[in-house]
Structures are given as structure tokens and as C-alpha cells.
Amino acid sequence: MARGISNAVIRRMPRYYRYLEDLIDSGVERISSSELSERMHVTASQIRQDLNNFGGFGQQGYGYNVKYLYDEIGKILGLDKRHKLIIIGAGHMGHALASYAKFGDFGFSTVALFDKDPDKIGEVINGAPVLPIEQLSDYIRDHNVDMAALTVPKEKAAGMADLVVRAGVKAIWNFANVDLKFEDKSVSVENVHLTDSLMRLSYSVISKEKTKE
Amino acid sequence: MARGISNAVIRRMPRYYRYLEDLIDSGVERISSSELSERMHVTASQIRQDLNNFGGFGQQGYGYNVKYLYDEIGKILGLDKRHKLIIIGAGHMGHALASYAKFGDFGFSTVALFDKDPDKIGEVINGAPVLPIEQLSDYIRDHNVDMAALTVPKEKAAGMADLVVRAGVKAIWNFANVDLKFEDKSVSVENVHLTDSLMRLSYSVISKEKTKE
């Protein structure tokens, strides 16, 4: 199951998951693909095609059972598994990630943060301690950590990523402003580029101004 | 200029800008499209096509002048203009955004943050004061603020977005976990969904585990 599915489909799955969660929160128990389509601003046929990649889930004339579809998409995304996440860098972004309770709901527990600043070590953020960076490799091995978020300067990111991967981390959530890539195909990476999104916003603003002229 | 250019091309522009900045930092003055292609893991013909949308910039047999191309892409993205950014919500994410000096280099100045928590009001983060949320509309009008970052709970996001748009903001950088859309086409929005990226990472990890089985 779930092999050979295009990246574009996978990229849309978290969005389905979010909309379904909102429907559950509003007490909606079932929904037709056309209603879902209207809410999500995608075509109903797109929705049917996307979900057919995973075996369908809909019933002709009934629509989708919201809770069932939500749970199934959660399983596809691996959210029924527990993930142990560490955060490298206990600055503002590290704090923000550690404090975001929502990640816990999705199966990601932040177990520790790491920093080199002695003033930060010993702090506890949302239940997770800030530990000295020297303990990083041992901690990963001893606690079977599978994911690491990098909130470090871009010059440090590649070296830090190599270090955590050598210690056993399988997934890197990279907030440093550089694209990380791994030769080792068993390592997964998501590069989050906040400046890219700000630049697209800037482009959108100026191109609208030009259209008005 | 720059009309009718596909979203896919625009989405790639910030990435070019980042790579060119790294080249400048490493003292590289010119680069061929094939060298740039190798670094960026996209084809040389893709690079030529992308840049031809804006009139080219390359010279046969010479390649690209790195600084010139960087500046031109900066202009395309509107980074030669100054943008006044406010941040709604002075929690950890608001702090992280206000503290990120890089945004300043790209022409975005965070001029103020807004919060309803009296304990936060009066704080100054990276030169920007935290002001009471009641002053929001007046501040936007008096200071010609053009962009607002929303770091508020998702239930608050749509109402807050409407409020700032009514006061004159033209661009919303939304970190709340909900897709914001505007009827008014003169408003630009970028929705940043950190949980979506974490879910894709989770999917990548479990699909690799399945392949191994």
C-alpha cells in the first residue's frame, strides 16, 4: 500500500487531514466529495482521485465518513505512530516548536532540546529539558530518537545534521536557511524556508501593485 | 514585465536568490547554468527557461554574473522595496520572527508586535515594541504598515486578518493552522503550515520503513 504515489498527492494529504479535523470539531459526521471540494477549493474529482490512491474510502450516495477518513489519512501519514523529536537550538524558534502542543496531538513528542549556551541548559520547555550539546549523540542512542528539528545558523546545519544521523536519527526537520540533502536515502528531510515564503509574499504584493498601474 | 508568469516559476525564485547569495558569500563572481544546475539539483535547461521569463540575464559562453543576477531576482521579488511588517501575537513564534535579522536584509522591517497579554506589552524585541492589541488599527493607518504576520490561534486568525486588512494591510503572512483566503483580490496571503511539513516528514519515514520490510 501507498507505494508509487506521487509527491503531489502526498503533499495534499496533510491539508485533507486539517480540513477533516475541523469538520470533526464542528460535529460533522459525513460529507460528500462535492461539499468537501467546496470547502477546500479543489475539484471533487481531484478529491476522489487523491483518495482512490489509498483505496477510496467513499461510498456512492453516502459520501465520506469524516472520522473514518480522518483516521485513515492519519495512518497513511504515520500519525498513529509515536515519534520522538529532539530540537537542536533552544532559541526562539526552538522554544516555539517545543511549545506547540498540536505536535503532540499528531504523535510527535519533543523529548529534549540541545544548546551550547550554558544559560539555557537546565531550562524546561513544555516538559522537555534543555541539555548540553555534548550529550547529543549519547541521548539519541539511549532514547531511540527518530527525528531532529534543526534551529541553528545555516553554517552549522549540515554538520549538525550529519552528527544526528550518525547517532541514529532518521528524519531531519530543517529550519536553517539552506537546503539539506543526504546521500543516504534512508534519511528523510523537510526543509522549511520561512524567508522563501516571505519573498513570495513580497512578489505577490508588488505584482498586484504593477497590475494596478 | 513579469506578468503571466506561472506560479511554479515564482515559487522557485526565492531558491535561486538563496543560492546566489551563498555564491556571493563564497566569493564566486560568475557561474554557468550547468554549474548552477549541479548545485541546485535542477536541470540547466530549467534554469535557462526560468530566467528567460524575466528576460534572460545570461550571456552565451560567459554564464551568469552572480551579483547582477542576484540583484535582478531581488528586484523581481520586490526585495529592493522596504516593507513594514507587524506581528500579531508576541508568543514564541512572534519572538522568533521578530528576532530573525535576515528578514531585515531582505527589506522587511518588523516595526511592532501586538498582544493582548498585559505582561508582554512594553517589551522590546529586536528594536520593535510590543503594543496593546487595541492600538492595532490606528497603528497600521498611522505608520502605513503593509504586511502582517499572524501568530495567533486558528480560531482568531480570520477575524484578525479581516481587521488588519480593513486598516490597510495588503499582505498576510499566516502562521495559524488554517488556510486564509480573501474575496478581495488585492490582498496577498501566504499560509505557512508547520504541521503539514511535519506530517510529510512522518510519511516519508514510515514509507521508507515499509519499503525495507
Side-chain angles (χ1 to χ4, degrees):
Chain A
M1 193 204 87
R3 286 187 203 165
I5 291 167
S6 80
N7 265 331
V9 174
I10 298 306
R11 292 193 75 81
R12 287 193 288 268
M13 283 298 128
R15 193 157 173 261
Y16 285 108
Y17 195 73
R18 262 193 283 124
Y19 277 80
L20 290 165
E21 186 178 67
D22 288 345
L23 288 170
I24 292 172
D25 290 348
S26 331
V28 177
E29 289 179 11
R30 63 180 168 122
I31 193 164
S32 65
S33 58
S34 62
E35 284 171 277
L36 189 57
S37 140
E38 210 165 291
R39 273 180 177 256
M40 293 188 62
H41 302 272
V42 290
T43 65
S45 88
Q46 168 94 81
I47 292 178
R48 281 190 298 268
Q49 274 179 36
D50 281 352
L51 299 180
N52 278 340
N53 277 295
F54 304 97
F57 313 123
Q59 240 177 289
Q60 197 70 37
Y62 174 87
Y64 297 105
N65 177 314
V66 172
K67 182 67 172 66
Y68 176 73
L69 186 54
Y70 175 80
D71 289 340
E72 290 301 309
I73 291 179
K75 284 182 211 161
I76 290 164
L77 292 170
L79 307 181
D80 54 334
K81 308 274 197 304
R82 306 303 303 172
H83 293 289
K84 281 189 191 167
L85 176 73
I86 55 170
I87 298 171
I88 321 291
H92 291 297
M93 184 57 83
H95 268 79
L97 297 179
S99 310
Y100 197 41
K102 197 75 206 166
F103 299 154
D105 298 347
F106 294 153
F108 304 93
S109 328
T110 301
V111 289
L113 296 90
F114 292 86
D115 208 287
K116 62 176 171 37
D117 179 354
D119 289 344
K120 288 182 178 150
I121 290 158
E123 248 188 277
V124 177
I125 303 159
N126 205 11
V130 180
L131 303 175
I133 197 83
E134 293 75 21
Q135 295 177 14
L136 183 58
S137 298
D138 285 344
Y139 187 96
I140 291 170
R141 283 191 201 99
D142 295 348
H143 294 80
N144 289 312
V145 171
D146 49 0
M147 291 188 167
L150 300 185
T151 68
V152 297
K154 71 173 181 178
E155 300 75 28
K156 299 279 170 71
M160 204 49 88
D162 284 338
L163 187 70
V164 298
V165 165
R166 272 201 306 272
V169 160
K170 285 292 165 215
I172 303 281
W173 198 21
N174 173 40
F175 286 80
N177 201 20
V178 60
D179 289 331
L180 294 181
K181 283 235 168 203
F182 290 86
E183 295 294 316
D184 178 352
K185 291 295 169 214
S186 73
V187 180
S188 303
V189 187
E190 274 281 324
N191 294 297
V192 178
H193 290 299
L194 295 181
T195 50
D196 285 20
S197 123
L198 192 54
M199 288 183 199
R200 284 194 296 269
L201 196 56
S202 165
Y203 174 81
S204 171
V205 172
I206 62 147
S207 57
K208 281 172 186 173
E209 278 167 6
K210 276 183 191 149
T211 314
K212 272 190 298 188
E213 274 161 16
Chain B
M1 193 203 86
R3 285 188 206 165
I5 291 167
S6 80
N7 265 332
V9 174
I10 298 306
R11 292 194 75 81
R12 287 193 288 268
M13 283 297 129
R15 192 158 173 261
Y16 285 110
Y17 195 73
R18 262 193 285 123
Y19 276 79
L20 291 165
E21 186 177 67
D22 288 345
L23 288 169
I24 293 172
D25 290 348
S26 330
V28 177
E29 289 180 12
R30 65 183 167 118
I31 193 165
S32 65
S33 58
S34 64
E35 283 172 276
L36 189 57
S37 141
E38 210 165 291
R39 272 180 178 255
M40 293 189 63
H41 303 271
V42 290
T43 65
S45 88
Q46 168 93 83
I47 292 178
R48 282 190 298 267
Q49 273 177 38
D50 281 352
L51 299 180
N52 278 340
N53 278 295
F54 303 97
F57 314 124
Q59 240 178 290
Q60 197 70 37
Y62 173 87
Y64 296 105
N65 177 314
V66 172
K67 181 68 172 68
Y68 176 72
L69 185 54
Y70 175 79
D71 288 341
E72 290 301 308
I73 292 179
K75 283 182 210 162
I76 291 165
L77 292 169
L79 306 180
D80 55 335
K81 308 273 197 304
R82 305 303 303 172
H83 293 289
K84 281 190 192 167
L85 176 72
I86 55 170
I87 298 171
I88 321 291
H92 292 297
M93 185 56 82
H95 268 80
L97 297 180
S99 309
Y100 197 42
K102 197 77 205 166
F103 299 153
D105 298 347
F106 294 152
F108 304 92
S109 328
T110 302
V111 289
L113 296 91
F114 292 86
D115 207 288
K116 62 175 172 34
D117 180 353
D119 289 345
K120 287 181 179 152
I121 290 157
E123 250 189 276
V124 177
I125 304 160
N126 204 11
V130 180
L131 303 174
I133 197 82
E134 293 74 23
Q135 296 177 14
L136 182 58
S137 298
D138 285 343
Y139 188 95
I140 291 170
R141 283 190 201 100
D142 295 347
H143 294 80
N144 290 313
V145 171
D146 49 359
M147 291 187 167
L150 299 186
T151 68
V152 297
K154 70 174 180 177
E155 301 74 27
K156 300 279 171 72
M160 205 48 90
D162 284 338
L163 187 70
V164 298
V165 165
R166 272 200 304 274
V169 160
K170 285 290 164 216
I172 303 281
W173 199 21
N174 172 41
F175 287 80
N177 201 20
V178 59
D179 290 332
L180 295 181
K181 283 233 168 205
F182 290 87
E183 295 294 315
D184 178 352
K185 290 297 166 213
S186 72
V187 180
S188 302
V189 187
E190 274 282 324
N191 294 297
V192 179
H193 290 299
L194 295 181
T195 49
D196 285 20
S197 123
L198 192 55
M199 287 182 200
R200 285 194 297 269
L201 196 56
S202 164
Y203 174 81
S204 171
V205 173
I206 62 147
S207 58
K208 281 172 187 172
E209 279 166 7
K210 277 184 189 148
T211 314
K212 271 191 299 189
E213 272 162 19

